[in-house]
Structure formats: C-alpha cells, structure tokens
Amino acid sequence: MKECKQKLIDKGLKPTKHRCQILKIFQQTSQPLSAEDIYQHCLKSGKAINLSTVYRTLDALKNSELIRSLNFENSDRTLYELKKRHIHYLMCLSCKKMQPVDFCPLDNIEKHLSPKNFEITEHRLDIYGYCPDCKAK
Ligand SMILES: [Zn+2]
Ligand SMILES: [Zn+2]
C-alpha cells in the first residue's frame, strides 16, 4: 500500500483510499481491466466502490499517466492497464479473450529507427484472430 501511495504522490495526485485501491488491483493482475472489472474486483474483496467513482478514479490515474486506456477496433469496451507495462496482445475476435505476447516484436524496428533521431516513447500493436478454443468450434 505504501508503494501505491508514493506512486500517486510522485505524480502529483492525492493518495486517496480509492486511488490506492484501484492502482493496487492493476499491480496485481496481468490482464487489462475495464471499469466494470475493477468494480467487480472491489466488490469481491469486500471494499465496494460505486461505478462512477471507479470511472472518476480511472480518469485521474490516466491523466497522470499511471495507467493508459486501450481501445480495440472491434469492441466498444475501454480497457485500462498500468502504463509502464508494455505488452502486446492477441485478441480473439470471437470470445474477446486477450492473451499477452511475452516479447515485443517491435524491438528491432525501434532499434532500426533510432538513427533517424526520432525519440519513440510508445507504440501500439494489437493482433486479432481466433483463439484455439474458438477455432475448434
Ligand atoms: Zn476465443
Ligand atoms: Zn512493443
């Protein structure tokens, strides 16, 4: 909890209970989460937060760049993940399951581009298709 608080303070945010709680959920999960997921998490852990507070808190965390939002082409859900984590996902078009790719296929491209003197701070790559479960259907 202490670490969460420090992160918030570093970003100039007041370390409120809800902000800490939500930031902690992100730190403990490997999947990107929607506001609804966060809400369910809180409910299950016995520390319910109402959904509008979840949205407000996510906005604050996003504005201070602790988390980022992910929008996928074929989905109207917005998902959030910790910003420092850099993961690409295989996203199933059928069941919407997301599987993290455990390496960055763009590493080499970034190295190639660096002589162009362009400072890359972020890149996006989402891979769409059908997971083994859905393919078997
Ligand atoms: Zn699937
Ligand atoms: Zn990458």
Side-chain angles (χ1 to χ4, degrees):
M1 207 65 170
K2 211 169 147 205
E3 199 203 334
C4 284
K5 273 190 180 156
Q6 195 51 53
K7 281 216 170 77
L8 291 165
I9 294 164
D10 287 349
K11 293 286 182 180
L13 280 178
K14 228 172 100 191
T16 64
K17 192 177 69 186
H18 290 154
R19 286 171 183 166
C20 286
Q21 188 181 343
I22 290 179
L23 192 56
K24 217 168 175 192
I25 293 170
F26 279 110
Q27 288 172 340
Q28 287 166 347
T29 182
S30 59
Q31 282 274 314
L33 301 167
S34 67
E36 180 68 27
D37 294 333
I38 299 276
Y39 174 76
Q40 293 298 340
H41 258 276
C42 295
L43 211 61
K44 271 184 217 146
S45 66
K47 292 179 210 157
I49 304 180
N50 69 51
L51 199 53
S52 64
T53 307
V54 172
Y55 276 111
R56 245 198 342 267
T57 308
L58 287 172
D59 266 351
L61 294 176
K62 191 185 154 189
N63 288 339
S64 51
E65 310 218 306
L66 282 162
I67 60 172
R68 62 180 178 141
S69 56
L70 306 163
N71 287 294
F72 291 92
E73 261 165 45
N74 62 330
S75 162
D76 51 10
R77 281 193 314 168
T78 301
L79 298 174
Y80 300 86
E81 67 175 4
L82 283 183
K83 195 161 180 190
K84 65 159 202 250
R85 191 151 22 83
H86 166 138
I87 297 179
H88 299 289
Y89 294 96
L90 304 173
M91 179 152 177
C92 178
L93 291 166
S94 174
C95 68
K96 314 278 196 241
K97 195 163 66 192
M98 295 170 69
Q99 198 184 323
V101 179
D102 56 6
F103 64 96
C104 173
L106 295 179
D107 262 359
N108 270 323
I109 296 175
E110 288 208 349
K111 271 179 212 127
H112 267 299
L113 289 175
S114 59
K116 294 201 192 295
N117 228 343
F118 185 88
E119 188 198 343
I120 298 168
T121 55
E122 195 186 342
H123 63 241
R124 296 285 306 273
L125 172 71
D126 306 316
I127 301 159
Y128 299 89
Y130 295 95
C131 73
D133 290 345
C134 293
K135 222 172 64 183
K137 274 179 205 155

